[in-house]
Amino acid sequence: MTKVYNPKEIEKKWQEYWYANKVFETTEDDSRKKFYGLIEFPYPSGAGLHVGHIRAFSSMEVISRKRRLQGYNVLFPIGYDAFGLPTENYAIKTKQHPRIVTDNNIKKFETQLKAIGYSFDWDRTIDTTDEGYYKWTQWIFLQLFKKGLAYKSKTLVNFCPECKVVLANEESQNGVCDRCGSEVIQKEKDVWFLRIRNYADRLLEGLTDLDFLEKIKVEQQNWIGKSCGAEVEFTIKGGGKEYPLVVYTTRPDTIYGATFLVVSPEHPMIQSFAGSIGNFDEIRDYQQQAKLKKEFERVHLAKEKSGVRIDGITAVNPITGCDIPVFTADYVMMDYGTGAIMAVPAHDTRDYEFAKKYSLPIIEVIKGGDIEKEAYIAKDGGIMVNSGFLNGLSVPEAIDAMTAYMKKLGVGTPKTDFKMKDWAFNRQRYWGEPIPIINCPKCGQVPMDEKDLPLVLPKLEDFSPTDDASSPLSKVTEWVNTTCPVCGGPATRETDTMPQWAGSSWYYLRYMSPRDGEHVVNPEAYKYWGQVDWYNGGMEHVTRHLIYSRFWNMFLYDIGVVTNAEPYLRRSAQGLILGADGEKMSKSRNNVVNPDDVIKEYGADVLRLFTLFIGDYEKSAPWNPDAIKGCSRFLNKLWNLMDIIKEGDVADVNIDLCIKKVDDDFESLKFNTAIAQVMSTVNDIYQRGYVTKSEFKKLLIILNPIVPHITSEIYEIINGGAKIERQKWPSYDESKLAKDEVDIPVQLNGKLKGRITVSATASREDALEAVNKSTGILEGKNIIKVIYVEGKIINIVAR
RNA sequence: GCCGAAAUGGUGGAAUGGCAGACGCGACGGACUCAAAAUCCGUUGAUGGCAACAUCGUGUGGGUUCAAGUCCCACUUUCGGCACCA
């Protein structure tokens, strides 16, 4: 009898061995194929690791360990995305410096990660708040600035009065601050933007060849939101003046049905007709109202359309020559298209609603719907009517015909637009990368000299935010005041810092050469590691981080820093672990599971096993504390196999099938079924009563990526000290996957009636013979048809 | 409103169109024990039947097929994303 399984003891032993001997350290090695596996590096919060992290990291951990056993040279790194608000807020609350808080949190994370036995190359650890790191974040920003892709612009921004910080659109969805949940207000501010819209088309097209989960592609496509249409010029007449008003439409085919025109309340056209507009006071009131409405109300709460007719001006339809009235309404947004639309109520739901409310004419130009009841969109179906030369055409034909006609007349041009907005790239907070720009009264915005990077974040005693939405850095006059690198005159530094998305937009490159002081990424290292082979992360980051980092990589490709336009070849996503109550884990719900507690009770291997066994990896699954026992029992059973090792006939246990299943399932992230297969195989082994050493070794190796401690220990014990990580991933014998004799179901008229045992390659006649012999179901029956699928089923249709 | 994913026992979840419920949890019965825990063995979709067995059963209603959880059509609900995007 061997000693009992003691996870605490063996896990400590193996972790010490791995980390002290740097077993997972990696260097470029041309003699071996490379594999670069990436996980989203964590934000080191004070709360420490969460079981969700474990699940998120475990897929690439398993794949990386498997790849090593398969002979690959594996880069599997870890780092910390450590700039950001929570740390800063916590630091303010506890009166510590964010640097101290960050360092402590990182230490805590590292201890926890090591206690789980992850096979990271710890020597490559990076930290976005490290000067040697953010030097290069700033360097990339400078290149963007020099290429005209970073600009400052006055706009209304989402401002959180609680966090006192300007938020990106994506951080203030539904008009609520992502961080604190308070209501966001609109504030005018000078803000840095990155011209990500310039890359919209390439970001969209680049998706085609990538092995990203389909739903990730779809979300990115929706986020980018490309629409193809045309800009059409209407002429506004009033008070003897003419004004060319350009509207944006995706449906030029419906122009014969345009019965009015709507401009956004902010549209400059209104002001230019100030003198000729009869109801200008009313219009001004409406503009004021629209301005007061927060974005949230305007978009989400305004169930009913509102608007005002602009008296004294009319618009001329460039195709029909007809005069139509002009309205202003806040359902038209200034920041999309041209801020003006031609309204076709018969074929657009919003225009329909507006026309009904203000009793405007509705002209049907596409047959097929019932415009008495509702607008008929008819994107793919329907035939044009009441539309001059378009009559009789289908909608797609009419779109092409009208676009060409407008172009010929010179009143319209094809135009694509994107929903995605430029990336608001700054925060008025302390704990972020300083923006390396100097404002000179003579020379304007001047980039810092690259030689002077990093621009170090000054040590600050009081870094709490200011009430006037300016950065705490503006208080450090000795830091702010500097000289202009161009003219040498007195100048001031930019005091805003970069958003948290900055550091994470290029971290996958830094891992390739984490300590290189001369390059963003060392060219030799890049040449070897190239693209990330497989990136796993959360669905919550596929529209922001994943697009932002693809954008930065494309830019670095354009300026010759990297040689691949796309950073990630494959991207998968894990499902959330929900609380035992089926709700998302959160402190406020008090349903958070701390991995330390699980390790304490069951050990790290059980934790690793359970987070992967809990359900389909790509779907969310609730944490069931009772079910952990099953995983613990299984590891005990695995351990106790040592008591029944015996050489013998290997029949009855299909180890080849098990290897194949595990091999395939790992590659498609079906860890739950891979584990189930191994459990079944172990059950079969106990049923048989003994395990052969060769079977046992194979089992240990295929399980090693998931439960490395116990498998390392058993392997060492049964093989006189041999190390499992030096072994080869087992192959399986194709010919042994299928059995020679099979038990197949017998159906009569599609209903299960019994089973027969036949050779896997038995003929139809043999199978039918076997049915006759072993069952009496065919007696007195008239056979009409026999369906026989070799090795699968026999179904007899009979009366 | 638009786009996407999903719905299977008491429960988490398995099923290239071919035995629905693998594997795990729980429950029940038994062994071991003074007892409990741990462990081991057995049972466990529902209904009827002593039983062999029969009937029903994968959100709802239709359809295709020798055969449907799986494919097609029409719905319902839940979750995620986008959203007066012209």
Side-chain angles (χ1 to χ4, degrees):
Chain A
M1 189 76 188
T2 10
K3 60 179 181 170
V4 293
Y5 172 43
N6 180 347
K8 258 187 209 80
E9 193 183 295
I10 68 171
E11 287 173 2
K12 188 161 172 268
K13 166 185 161 184
W14 287 99
Q15 285 160 13
E16 278 169 8
Y17 164 74
W18 294 328
Y19 304 136
N21 294 291
K22 301 196 173 181
V23 169
F24 307 112
E25 189 180 24
T26 185
T27 51
E28 291 79 67
D29 172 2
D30 286 322
S31 70
R32 283 186 296 161
K33 255 179 109 173
K34 67 98 184 179
F35 176 81
Y36 184 178
L38 184 67
I39 51 161
E40 283 173 343
F41 62 165
Y43 177 76
S45 74
L49 279 180
H50 178 260
V51 285
H53 286 114
I54 314 299
R55 193 156 193 243
F57 299 164
S58 288
S59 57
M60 285 307 102
E61 158 76 357
V62 169
I63 298 295
S64 294
R65 281 188 183 260
K66 182 187 174 201
R67 290 284 182 276
R68 289 191 197 97
L69 291 164
Q70 288 175 313
Y72 286 79
N73 187 27
V74 172
L75 174 56
F76 183 50
I78 182 72
Y80 304 95
D81 187 15
F83 273 130
L85 274 181
T87 300
E88 184 169 331
N89 289 340
Y90 181 77
I92 291 167
K93 213 169 84 189
T94 58
K95 300 200 188 326
Q96 299 174 78
H97 194 274
R99 176 76 268 155
I100 309 291
V101 174
T102 301
D103 288 343
N104 286 342
N105 289 353
I106 287 178
K107 250 179 244 155
K108 181 167 181 182
F109 266 66
E110 188 169 324
T111 308
Q112 285 186 297
L113 289 166
K114 285 185 169 170
I116 294 154
Y118 283 122
S119 65
F120 298 124
D121 178 352
W122 286 99
D123 288 338
R124 290 178 185 255
T125 307
I126 58 173
D127 165 7
T128 56
T129 66
D130 187 85
E131 286 171 24
Y133 185 93
Y134 70 71
K135 168 183 176 177
W136 296 106
T137 312
Q138 292 172 331
W139 183 87
I140 297 171
F141 179 86
L142 280 186
Q143 311 312 310
L144 285 159
F145 179 79
K146 288 176 187 171
K147 293 286 177 190
L149 291 170
Y151 65 98
K152 227 175 179 183
S153 168
K154 229 184 222 342
T155 21
L156 283 178
V157 294
N158 306 306
F159 182 75
C160 173
E162 188 60 37
C163 305
K164 290 170 181 152
V165 67
V166 176
L167 298 166
N169 285 332
E170 50 271 25
E171 290 169 310
S172 56
Q173 292 186 358
N174 300 332
V176 175
C177 174
D178 247 14
R179 302 278 181 199
C180 70
S182 53
E183 228 174 284
V184 170
I185 60 168
Q186 300 290 299
K187 190 161 183 147
E188 193 165 81
K189 191 77 185 118
D190 239 0
V191 187
W192 283 99
F193 286 97
L194 298 185
R195 290 192 200 278
I196 192 171
R197 280 171 65 95
N198 287 18
Y199 281 73
D201 252 322
R202 287 170 65 192
L203 287 167
L204 198 58
E205 278 158 23
L207 286 173
T208 319
D209 299 322
L210 296 175
D211 184 13
F212 283 16
L213 209 61
E214 198 50 38
K215 64 175 172 179
I216 294 178
K217 289 190 181 185
V218 169
E219 279 197 22
Q220 291 211 349
Q221 282 157 2
N222 286 343
W223 183 266
I224 295 168
K226 182 174 180 167
S227 77
C228 297
E231 286 188 349
V232 185
E233 193 178 310
F234 283 65
T235 306
I236 308 290
K237 289 194 295 195
K241 242 175 48 176
E242 290 197 349
Y243 181 105
L245 183 79
V246 178
V247 304
Y248 178 69
T249 179
T250 55
R251 297 297 299 277
D253 55 309
T254 61
I255 194 163
Y256 283 91
T259 52
F260 55 99
L261 204 140
V262 188
V263 298
S264 148
E266 299 89 1
H267 202 287
M269 181 276 287
I270 299 173
Q271 196 54 43
S272 76
F273 279 98
S276 348
I277 296 175
N279 57 342
F280 196 68
D281 288 344
E282 197 189 344
I283 303 285
R284 185 169 285 164
D285 278 353
Y286 187 75
Q287 287 175 319
Q288 281 303 322
Q289 267 178 45
K291 200 171 180 179
L292 285 175
K293 275 193 202 173
K294 280 173 238 139
E295 176 88 11
F296 179 66
E297 289 175 346
R298 194 164 155 180
V299 176
H300 300 270
L301 299 180
K303 293 267 187 282
E304 195 164 304
K305 301 271 175 294
S306 71
V308 184
R309 175 163 181 169
I310 308 177
D311 291 337
I313 61 172
T314 54
V316 182
N317 184 322
I319 301 299
T320 64
C322 295
D323 277 8
I324 53 173
V326 181
F327 286 77
T328 182
D330 64 6
Y331 79 89
V332 175
M333 305 289 151
M334 197 58 221
D335 59 2
Y336 187 78
T338 60
I341 61 157
M342 64 174 203
V344 184
H347 306 290
D348 181 283
T349 45
R350 294 150 306 184
D351 299 344
Y352 187 86
E353 204 184 311
F354 194 81
K356 280 281 177 196
K357 182 165 176 187
Y358 294 98
S359 305
L360 296 160
I362 299 172
I363 302 175
E364 181 178 53
V365 293
I366 305 166
K367 217 165 52 184
D370 180 4
I371 62 155
E372 292 300 314
K373 282 198 205 128
E374 58 181 5
Y376 176 53
I377 310 301
K379 253 194 180 129
D380 330 284
I383 299 294
M384 304 305 299
V385 292
N386 301 326
S387 295
F389 74 98
L390 298 177
N391 285 343
L393 297 181
S394 71
V395 168
E397 286 167 345
I399 290 175
D400 289 347
M402 182 49 79
T403 309
Y405 183 63
M406 285 171 168
K407 212 169 161 185
K408 209 171 106 193
L409 287 188
V411 295
T413 44
K415 168 95 183 169
T416 55
D417 206 347
F418 299 94
K419 289 179 197 171
M420 182 171 68
K421 307 209 162 67
D422 273 345
W423 175 5
F425 197 74
N426 55 338
R427 295 300 120 96
Q428 288 66 42
R429 296 293 292 232
Y430 173 68
W431 197 231
E433 302 89 341
I435 293 176
I437 296 289
I438 291 164
N439 298 304
C440 170
K442 277 191 213 144
C443 315
Q445 291 165 351
V446 180
M448 268 179 70
D449 196 322
E450 285 171 22
K451 288 198 300 285
D452 297 334
L453 294 181
L455 171 59
V456 176
L457 191 59
K459 277 241 158 68
L460 210 57
E461 285 301 316
D462 177 21
F463 42 84
S464 54
T466 58
D467 295 338
D468 63 346
S470 69
S471 162
L473 287 179
S474 59
K475 292 183 281 192
V476 200
T477 45
E478 63 273 28
W479 184 81
V480 171
N481 293 324
T482 183
T483 52
C484 171
V486 176
C487 69
T492 56
R493 290 189 193 282
E494 176 62 57
T495 55
D496 281 4
T497 52
M498 298 188 198
Q500 210 196 332
W501 308 108
S504 59
S505 291
W506 69 282
Y507 74 113
Y508 56 92
L509 290 173
R510 194 62 185 165
Y511 283 136
M512 300 179 194
S513 54
R515 313 285 169 248
D516 193 303
E518 302 301 313
H519 309 89
V520 169
V521 54
N522 180 284
E524 285 304 308
Y526 183 79
K527 208 170 141 197
Y528 184 76
W529 295 112
Q531 288 158 292
V532 174
D533 292 285
W534 195 341
Y535 188 14
N536 185 78
M539 282 307 290
E540 69 277 18
H541 289 134
V542 307
T543 47
R544 297 114 137 164
H545 158 67
L546 202 57
I547 286 189
Y548 293 155
S549 61
R550 287 182 59 221
F551 161 49
W552 275 34
N553 191 83
M554 262 179 213
F555 169 72
L556 293 172
Y557 170 75
D558 289 347
I559 63 170
V561 173
V562 299
T563 54
N564 296 289
E566 290 288 345
Y568 318 117
L569 287 169
R570 178 174 180 182
R571 162 77 193 209
S572 52
Q574 76 278 354
L576 291 174
I577 295 190
L578 306 173
D581 53 3
E583 299 286 331
K584 205 168 157 177
M585 278 194 189
S586 75
K587 248 191 232 161
S588 58
R589 283 203 190 85
N590 199 26
N591 59 357
V592 178
V593 177
N594 184 340
D596 296 348
D597 298 339
V598 182
I599 293 177
K600 216 163 139 192
E601 194 170 353
Y602 297 99
D605 279 336
V606 169
L607 174 67
R608 296 169 61 117
L609 184 65
F610 184 62
T611 51
L612 293 176
F613 185 60
I614 196 166
D616 186 328
Y617 186 71
E618 293 177 335
K619 291 184 196 138
S620 51
W623 181 269
N624 176 358
D626 292 329
I628 306 171
K629 282 183 208 148
C631 290
S632 182
R633 281 177 195 151
F634 170 68
L635 291 188
N636 268 300
K637 276 170 113 176
L638 185 74
W639 180 267
N640 293 334
L641 279 178
M642 283 193 278
D643 294 335
I644 57 166
I645 298 174
K646 174 186 133 186
E647 287 315 315
D649 190 351
V650 294
D652 302 331
V653 173
N654 197 335
I655 197 81
D656 293 275
L657 190 73
C658 183
I659 295 168
K660 178 176 166 45
K661 178 83 176 147
V662 169
D663 198 332
D664 292 349
D665 283 355
F666 278 7
E667 296 305 320
S668 49
L669 303 180
K670 303 286 180 209
F671 303 110
N672 54 336
T673 49
I675 294 164
Q677 178 65 51
V678 181
M679 287 175 169
S680 271
T681 304
V682 170
N683 289 345
D684 290 348
I685 287 172
Y686 273 104
Q687 206 66 46
R688 188 182 61 182
Y690 66 89
V691 64
T692 69
K693 213 160 174 185
S694 123
E695 284 169 345
F696 201 7
K697 278 191 202 175
K698 287 175 183 172
L699 274 182
L700 292 171
I701 296 170
I702 61 176
L703 272 178
N704 175 257
I706 295 182
V707 284
H709 309 88
I710 184 173
T711 50
S712 296
E713 179 71 13
I714 300 174
Y715 200 93
E716 191 183 57
I717 294 171
I718 68 172
N719 289 293
K723 294 289 187 284
I724 196 167
E725 74 269 7
R726 310 229 177 95
Q727 309 308 313
K728 274 211 177 69
W729 184 259
S731 54
Y732 50 87
D733 186 344
E734 223 33 91
S735 70
K736 288 190 181 154
L737 295 182
K739 290 182 188 161
D740 297 338
E741 286 231 312
V742 285
D743 221 22
I744 64 168
V746 178
Q747 293 183 341
L748 181 63
N749 297 326
K751 287 197 172 165
L752 184 69
K753 289 292 167 186
R755 328 182 48 83
I756 52 169
T757 304
V758 288
S759 140
T761 54
S763 70
R764 167 186 305 247
E765 288 68 32
D766 292 347
L768 203 54
E769 179 63 31
V771 172
N772 267 324
K773 231 188 251 171
S774 59
T775 70
I777 59 167
L778 297 179
E779 248 158 74
K781 291 266 162 55
N782 184 18
I783 298 176
I784 296 165
K785 196 173 173 186
V786 176
I787 293 104
Y788 171 61
V789 183
E790 240 178 50
K792 284 276 188 209
I793 199 165
I794 181 162
N795 184 15
I796 296 148
V797 186
R799 254 182 217 111

